[in-house]
Amino acid sequence: MDLLAALNPIALRLGPIQVHWYGVIIASAVVIAVTLSVREAKRRGLVADDVYDAILWALPVALIFARAYYVLFEWSYYKQHLSEIPAIWDGGIAIYGSLIGGLIMIILVTRHKFISTWLFLDIITPTVILAQGIGRWGNFMNQEAFGGVVNKSFLTDLHLPTFIINQMFINGQYRMPTYLWESLWDIAGFIVLISLRHRKHLFKQGEVLFSYLIWYSFGRFFIEGMRTDSLYLPFAGLRVSQLLSAIIFVVAITLWIYRRKTQPDNRWYLDGHSILQNK
């Protein structure tokens, strides 16, 4: 057996149907995120159906936006391979696209249900970043979201497991496992957020969301700079995710400061609970 053989991206076959590890991992991440969000929603005075209804609408839209975002910035390829546009099981979805689509639907659903959008986003964003961290292992199975060429000794000196080192042998060269750096950054962000969000008089409504945006965009900016498969703005030669990360980072900090100054009556989270209100 070839010790450098990549892991099989197919989890199982059901006749003509192939179930990819990519989809299994993403689906598992979603289930974990929804389960944890429901638990937190109950602490905040919401019911489970509020979360399920929002996710039911947000997930398909997020998936469509994630693929559309990727295809848009790779249009030079897909305009000649139109039949491949729906093939998300081979990878090629963008986190930022999914966040944009999901956010739009959550705003619409929470307003329809007369639930504070800020509150709802504060509930789900810690689990969103956890799902992102788990989902990066789908990139691992597909051998994507990797960085530049490195020596095997570099990976060995990091004390990485053999299966990771072998999977980073791509097209005859070892690659920087940037998917791993982002996964670890995201999971660390989840731990920080859930450790702090119930601290009395630390966060007001919307500020768990801002903390998520600041944490994720900061890490993504630097990790994206290491990747060799980034999406680029065709007219400027800039990495799309780096530019968007910088914008999100600045906007989140600005909004946090602005809301603190202009909305002094915005509710603090008290002992894990909050008052439902639309702000």
Side-chain angles (χ1 to χ4, degrees), residues 189-250:
F190 166 72
I191 294 171
V192 169
L193 289 177
I194 63 169
S195 299
L196 297 179
R197 68 181 176 183
H198 293 152
R199 298 290 180 88
K200 189 174 182 179
H201 287 173
L202 180 61
F203 292 122
K204 290 188 173 185
Q205 283 199 22
E207 294 179 356
V208 176
L209 165 66
F210 294 148
S211 299
Y212 156 73
L213 293 174
I214 292 167
W215 181 280
Y216 178 70
S217 62
F218 181 83
R220 180 62 186 270
F221 180 88
F222 292 102
I223 295 169
E224 188 69 24
M226 303 178 196
R227 289 176 56 171
T228 59
D229 60 345
S230 298
L231 300 174
Y232 284 84
L233 288 172
F235 54 84
L238 298 175
R239 296 175 192 257
V240 178
S241 291
Q242 275 195 311
L243 177 61
L244 192 52
S245 293
I247 293 172
I248 290 173
F249 184 82
V250 173

Side-chain angles (χ1 to χ4, degrees), residues 57-201:
W57 285 100
L59 273 181
V61 174
L63 186 60
I64 292 170
F65 269 66
R67 184 59 170 176
Y69 182 104
Y70 183 86
V71 170
L72 174 65
F73 291 107
E74 291 285 357
W75 184 242
S76 60
Y77 173 83
Y78 283 103
K79 68 181 180 182
Q80 300 177 18
H81 302 83
L82 296 178
S83 63
E84 296 182 22
I85 291 178
I88 60 173
W89 48 85
D90 290 328
I93 60 175
I95 291 294
Y96 275 134
S98 66
L99 294 178
I100 293 169
L103 177 62
I104 291 171
M105 288 310 303
I106 285 172
I107 291 173
L108 293 176
V109 171
T110 52
R111 290 193 174 278
H112 176 73
K113 286 178 165 287
F114 301 101
I115 298 170
S116 168
T117 303
W118 294 110
L119 169 63
F120 195 87
L121 290 171
D122 281 346
I123 289 170
I124 68 170
T125 46
T127 64
V128 167
I129 199 170
L130 174 63
Q132 289 173 249
I134 297 172
R136 280 300 172 194
W137 288 87
N139 298 133
F140 168 74
M141 293 301 301
N142 277 359
Q143 292 187 305
E144 57 191 10
F146 52 79
V149 175
V150 296
N151 296 324
K152 183 178 181 179
S153 60
F154 174 84
L155 300 176
T156 304
D157 290 343
L158 293 175
H159 303 290
L160 296 176
T162 301
F163 77 95
I164 290 181
I165 295 175
N166 289 346
Q167 191 73 353
M168 286 298 97
F169 190 74
I170 302 170
N171 296 328
Q173 295 176 307
Y174 287 97
R175 295 284 185 162
M176 178 79 74
T178 47
Y179 84 91
L180 179 60
W181 308 154
E182 185 165 341
S183 177
L184 294 175
W185 179 256
D186 291 346
I187 293 171
F190 166 72
I191 294 171
V192 169
L193 289 177
I194 63 169
S195 299
L196 297 179
R197 68 181 176 183
H198 293 152
R199 298 290 180 88
K200 189 174 182 179
H201 287 173

